Amino acid sequence: MNILGIAASIMLFAGCGRTDIQERAEQEAPKEQDAVLQLYQNAEAEALLEEVPQEKSELLEQSEASEQPEQPLDESAGGQVQENLDADRIIAEQSFQVTLNDWGEVEFVSYEPDSLEKSPQEDVSFYLLKDEKILYQFPYIGEEHSSGNGFYWDVKFVMFTDTNADGKEDVVIGAEYMTGAGPQGAVPHTVVRIYEDCGDYFTYNEELSDTINGYLPWESNVLAKDVKRLIQLTDGDEPLKDYESYTGKWRVDVGYIAAYENPEPQSRNELTCYIQNGNEFSGSFFTEQGMTERIASVEDIAGTIQNDELFYEFTDDGWGGTGTLHIMFLPNQINVEVLDYRMAEENVSGYGISGSYELTIRE
């Protein structure tokens, strides 16, 4: 009995101890399982990071790039494209120190092509410099750094004026080119380009430039004031108030064949005009017949231009003829029409100033 009692006590003690250990084990198990699971998840995450797909990596790079500041514009839209300019290629007479809108005090530089031998179609280029460093390059107007207008010849003028009434001065350039083809292929002709200031870059106004160029005869000595007048004309329907830019000698000669025009004139016609105080005209008109070399003229023409027109009655054209000169001031052209012409009875030759004359070349 004693032996059996001791054995039962031992078994009871062992049973109670096992139950306590088991309960403690069951309580600790979730903690150990959580730790193991956490280790497994950490390892799995590291493996996934090492196996990020290429496209996801690219998306991350793009996202980071989108948060970076914008890069300078490339040369097709303007912007800095090189560090220094070759001093030998700078066109000094068409480069200026200017205060230009929000750009401040800058140097505008006209920069001729590298070499006609290296690239015969390369166009002239233009820059803004500040502290002798390139601040901005104006965009080319043609493909592959060309102009599309032929071989570069010269820069005729550079003008800073507001072309779109936004309060900012834009850049208007008259560059000369030769095509090398056709009857006027070896005659330099002026092509105007207009760059509008958009704040931190300039944009080429192709439509307005083409409109202005459509008014410019091939051989005409185009000046900056001519283009300024043409910009005025395209700005509205009201007539010009200032005609002084027409001052000069307007002509057309025998043998002259304007580009794409036919037939050629049969006489040498010439109008000399001087205009002051906006619209006060004085001058003379002269014509010489091509075959006979007969000359007729009206001297001391004077009057006031109104609504782009001037009427002047003359009493002698050198042959006793009388009539009225109707002088019309058109975009970069002056037309002279003779109204109410009367030939003198003693004029047996029949020559005199009569008919209409188109004067498209201004010296």
Side-chain angles (χ1 to χ4, degrees):
M1 290 293 291
N2 289 336
I3 294 172
L4 290 174
I6 293 171
S9 298
I10 292 172
M11 290 178 64
L12 179 61
F13 176 79
C16 293
R18 185 188 59 182
T19 302
D20 185 53
I21 293 173
Q22 183 178 359
E23 289 176 355
R24 280 187 295 169
E26 289 175 354
Q27 292 175 357
E28 294 292 330
K31 297 180 180 180
E32 296 173 354
Q33 291 174 358
D34 289 343
V36 171
L37 179 61
Q38 185 63 49
L39 290 172
Y40 176 82
Q41 290 176 344
N42 290 343
E44 186 178 34
E46 291 176 358
L48 286 174
L49 287 174
E50 292 176 356
E51 297 177 1
V52 175
Q54 181 65 27
E55 59 269 23
K56 189 174 294 185
S57 176
E58 293 174 355
L59 288 173
L60 288 172
E61 293 175 359
Q62 292 174 6
S63 176
E64 293 173 356
S66 65
E67 297 176 359
Q68 299 300 320
E70 293 184 2
Q71 298 300 314
L73 298 171
D74 61 22
E75 65 179 88
S76 63
Q80 184 171 332
V81 296
Q82 61 185 69
E83 294 184 357
N84 299 300
L85 298 180
D86 184 351
D88 292 336
R89 293 169 58 188
I90 294 177
I91 308 171
E93 61 272 19
Q94 297 299 343
S95 299
F96 314 94
Q97 292 287 342
V98 296
T99 301
L100 189 60
N101 307 323
D102 296 336
W103 300 89
E105 294 184 5
V106 294
E107 182 182 4
F108 177 90
V109 173
S110 299
Y111 196 63
E112 65 182 12
D114 186 8
S115 171
L116 293 180
E117 295 180 358
K118 292 182 179 179
S119 180
Q121 293 291 338
E122 184 178 350
D123 195 13
V124 61
S125 53
F126 304 93
Y127 295 84
L128 293 181
L129 271 61
K130 196 175 187 69
D131 298 329
E132 299 183 356
K133 295 183 179 180
I134 295 176
L135 180 65
Y136 182 81
Q137 179 181 358
F138 289 77
Y140 288 93
I141 64 174
E143 297 180 356
E144 298 181 354
H145 297 184
S146 70
S147 69
N149 297 301
F151 303 98
Y152 164 75
W153 180 256
D154 195 10
V155 175
K156 185 76 173 178
F157 62 81
V158 176
M159 175 173 59
F160 305 93
T161 185
D162 188 357
T163 64
N164 54 6
D166 65 350
K168 295 181 179 180
E169 287 192 334
D170 304 309
V171 181
V172 182
I173 299 167
E176 288 187 314
Y177 301 89
M178 289 192 299
T179 64
Q184 308 301 321
V187 178
H189 65 286
T190 302
V191 178
V192 171
R193 66 180 72 176
I194 298 171
Y195 292 110
E196 294 180 349
D197 190 348
C198 297
D200 56 356
Y201 69 96
F202 286 82
T203 184
Y204 171 56
N205 189 330
E206 182 176 6
E207 182 178 358
L208 181 56
S209 299
D210 288 346
T211 299
I212 299 302
N213 288 321
Y215 288 129
L216 303 179
W218 202 267
E219 297 87 346
S220 183
N221 181 26
V222 179
L223 304 178
K225 59 183 180 179
D226 296 325
V227 175
K228 190 172 184 178
R229 181 185 67 247
L230 293 174
I231 292 173
Q232 279 184 280
L233 282 170
T234 59
D235 190 42
D237 297 328
E238 291 192 10
L240 291 171
K241 302 295 190 264
D242 185 350
Y243 297 89
E244 295 183 12
S245 65
Y246 282 92
T247 295
K249 184 179 293 184
W250 294 78
R251 64 179 177 85
V252 66
D253 287 350
V254 175
Y256 160 85
I257 305 177
Y260 318 115
E261 289 186 0
N262 196 36
E264 65 179 273
Q266 299 300 311
S267 62
R268 180 165 69 93
N269 310 317
E270 190 172 277
L271 175 71
T272 301
C273 59
Y274 177 69
I275 303 172
Q276 58 183 346
N277 298 327
N279 62 349
E280 295 179 6
F281 179 97
S282 61
S284 60
F285 183 65
F286 165 93
T287 181
E288 179 183 16
Q289 194 173 38
M291 296 181 63
T292 66
E293 297 184 352
R294 294 169 176 162
I295 294 175
S297 65
V298 176
E299 304 294 332
D300 301 324
I301 303 171
T304 301
I305 305 170
Q306 294 182 342
N307 298 326
D308 305 338
E309 298 176 306
L310 171 67
F311 294 89
Y312 178 77
E313 295 183 2
F314 64 93
T315 56
D316 186 7
D317 61 358
W319 297 82
T322 64
T324 299
L325 296 179
H326 177 207
I327 304 175
M328 294 163 279
F329 297 84
L330 307 177
N332 214 51
Q333 177 176 327
I334 299 179
N335 288 356
V336 179
E337 179 185 17
V338 182
L339 307 174
D340 304 324
Y341 180 73
R342 292 186 179 181
M343 186 181 299
E345 294 181 359
E346 61 272 19
N347 182 4
V348 295
S349 68
Y351 185 64
I353 292 182
S354 62
S356 299
Y357 306 86
E358 295 183 359
L359 308 166
T360 58
I361 305 176
R362 197 267 298 281
E363 294 181 352

